[in-house]
Amino acid sequence: NAFVKMSILVCYMKRKSNLYLIGQEQGSIDINDIAMSIRESIRILERQNIEAAFSCEAGCRLPDSYAKIVYDMYEWGEEKSVENGCETVFVRLTEINGKLRLLFRLGGMEKQPADNEKIFSELKKNRGITEITNEDGELIMKLEVPYDKYL
């Protein structure tokens, strides 16, 4: 389990650094760059026999500050999936009403994360419209951030 956490952390640092550099250079980040980062992380989960799926139905650019929020929330969810013994992870990026939505569903958890409220308040403070709920043994997280198709 420590090796898995280290693998996730190394992947996160590599991808976050890459997104940071793109954001510094261009001022915005294409959703495909975020999707590529998430896909790489999903492969780590799959190697741990966690049933994982990722879907991206968006084609927008995000200001780099929002892109970082989206990727940080993904990373938090990925860490929780390993820490809490998840059996399934489903991640979806979509565009809805001028916002990019990240939906993260963790299923078959051995235990529930204790810090939902802390994460909720941190993400809400960072301008994300966030919802974290527990339904039938699944942790469901939603984050919506505005984007501009013309960036």
Side-chain angles (χ1 to χ4, degrees):
N1 202 7
F3 178 73
V4 175
K5 287 183 181 179
M6 188 180 336
S7 297
I8 289 170
L9 182 60
V10 168
C11 182
Y12 171 74
M13 290 184 335
K14 178 180 93 171
R15 287 298 180 182
K16 180 79 178 212
S17 297
N18 186 45
L19 292 173
Y20 173 80
L21 291 172
I22 292 169
Q24 289 295 306
E25 185 179 295
Q26 300 176 10
S28 64
I29 298 175
D30 190 288
I31 194 64
N32 291 318
D33 291 320
I34 297 170
M36 184 170 49
S37 298
I38 292 173
R39 280 189 188 95
E40 183 175 342
S41 297
I42 288 283
R43 285 193 290 273
I44 293 170
L45 297 178
E46 290 172 334
R47 281 185 241 137
Q48 299 308 308
N49 295 321
I50 296 173
E51 186 179 334
F54 172 65
S55 162
C56 180
E57 297 132 24
C60 58
R61 292 189 70 82
L62 293 173
D64 66 328
S65 60
Y66 287 131
K68 291 171 190 170
I69 291 169
V70 170
Y71 191 64
D72 285 347
M73 183 169 171
Y74 167 77
E75 176 58 25
W76 179 82
E78 183 180 49
E79 287 176 20
K80 294 302 167 201
S81 69
V82 172
E83 288 173 10
N84 294 288
C86 284
E87 296 173 357
T88 61
V89 174
F90 174 72
V91 182
R92 183 177 182 198
L93 285 170
T94 55
E95 293 175 57
I96 296 174
N97 298 325
K99 294 183 180 182
L100 177 74
R101 176 182 288 170
L102 171 67
L103 172 68
F104 208 115
R105 184 179 294 254
L106 308 177
M109 299 174 72
E110 293 172 0
K111 54 189 175 182
Q112 295 292 324
D115 56 355
N116 288 0
E117 287 304 315
K118 177 184 172 209
I119 296 299
F120 179 78
S121 65
E122 286 175 11
L123 291 170
K124 189 123 179 136
K125 192 183 335 175
N126 287 325
R127 299 178 298 219
I129 301 167
T130 308
E131 179 183 338
I132 300 176
T133 57
N134 291 309
E135 294 178 13
D136 300 324
E138 290 187 327
L139 178 67
I140 301 168
M141 299 176 290
K142 295 177 189 171
L143 172 68
E144 292 181 351
V145 294
Y147 67 88
D148 184 345
K149 284 190 179 275
Y150 305 104
L151 282 177

